[in-house]
Amino acid sequence: MKPAGNKLKIKIKFFAAHREFAGLSELDLEIEDDSTISDLMETLYKKFPELKQIEEETIVSVNKVYVEVGKKLEAGDEVAIFPPVSGG
Amino acid sequence: MSVEIVEHEISLEKLMDQVRTDRTGGIVTFIGTVRNESRGKEIEKLEYEVYRDMALNELESIESSAMEKFEVEKVVIVHRTGTFSVGERVVGILVSARHRKPAFDACQFIIDQLKLSVPIWKKEYSSDGEYWVEGPNINTKNGMQ
């Protein structure tokens, strides 16, 4: 059983424009248990206000799979934050 | 492995050997190269950034879909990462099939899907600065897919 107020350790990766706006490519973060992607984004916007400028162009994956904003995070998750892809 | 992210040059001969089988009647090839202009600006070079593990997963899933949807024999997909000048090959897609139509259709499907879902980004360096290329935005109104 998890005690109330437990924290989750997750890893964040930033790519392309989001890496440049955040000013770093990786970050280990502790967030509240039961946090969703939306909660995480709010935390990140406080930490890196410049990211807010490209909020509309933000895509998120968890453990290398595209996810929606309501997705709940779990300990050890690898979250990636990036703009629409432009390979090819 | 038939999907790859590489730094080295794309060798067409090598990739053709990878997809050719005795049942093959034709091989359709798409080679993406660096163009000298974009949106009216002269391009000096392109820089690619890749989320490698996820990109490989996405490429494998595109390859599987292509194999299921079309009557093809083999598929290889190679994307390069690094910085490239005009004329350099940056993506290679080869599809072998007994007949040409499924090979053409599968090749088109693969490059279209690659541009939609594989986490690779390119930055253009032109005479008036550097820009990340904005890909097709497949986000929902929530700002995410």
Side-chain angles (χ1 to χ4, degrees), chain B residues 14-131:
Chain B
K14 225 172 108 182
L15 297 179
M16 281 175 66
D17 287 346
Q18 265 179 259
V19 294
R20 205 204 65 80
T21 74
D22 285 349
R23 288 160 58 85
T24 298
I27 298 170
V28 169
T29 301
F30 174 84
I31 299 290
T33 58
V34 178
R35 192 176 51 229
N36 68 355
E37 70 78 38
S38 177
R39 291 167 289 174
K41 307 266 162 52
E42 194 177 329
I43 297 299
E44 288 160 9
K45 59 182 180 178
L46 289 184
E47 181 187 324
Y48 285 84
E49 184 167 328
V50 177
Y51 181 11
R52 185 181 289 267
D53 292 346
M54 184 173 169
L56 289 171
N57 288 352
E58 289 293 318
L59 287 172
E60 277 171 14
S61 136
I62 292 170
E63 183 199 22
S64 304
S65 303
M67 299 291 291
E68 276 169 30
K69 275 176 189 288
F70 307 99
E71 278 189 42
V72 297
E73 296 285 319
K74 285 192 172 182
V75 168
V76 292
I77 314 173
V78 181
H79 203 299
R80 288 175 84 187
T81 181
T83 303
F84 306 107
S85 34
V86 173
E88 282 196 86
R89 302 168 184 175
V90 290
V91 57
I93 298 166
L94 280 81
V95 182
S96 63
R98 297 181 65 205
H99 303 287
R100 67 187 182 282
K101 189 170 187 323
F104 276 110
D105 291 347
C107 193
Q108 173 91 58
F109 168 82
I110 292 166
I111 186 63
D112 290 349
Q113 291 299 309
L114 184 153
K115 282 173 174 280
L116 271 181
S117 76
V118 182
I120 299 177
W121 303 269
K122 61 173 164 269
K123 187 186 244 187
E124 294 175 349
Y125 289 79
S126 70
S127 39
D128 72 340
E130 314 167 4
Y131 305 92

Side-chain angles (χ1 to χ4, degrees), chain A residues 4-6 9 12 21 30 51 56 60 67 70:
Chain A
N6 204 10
K9 277 189 185 171
I12 319 274
F21 275 68
E30 285 202 341
L51 274 181
E56 294 292 309
V60 178
V67 294

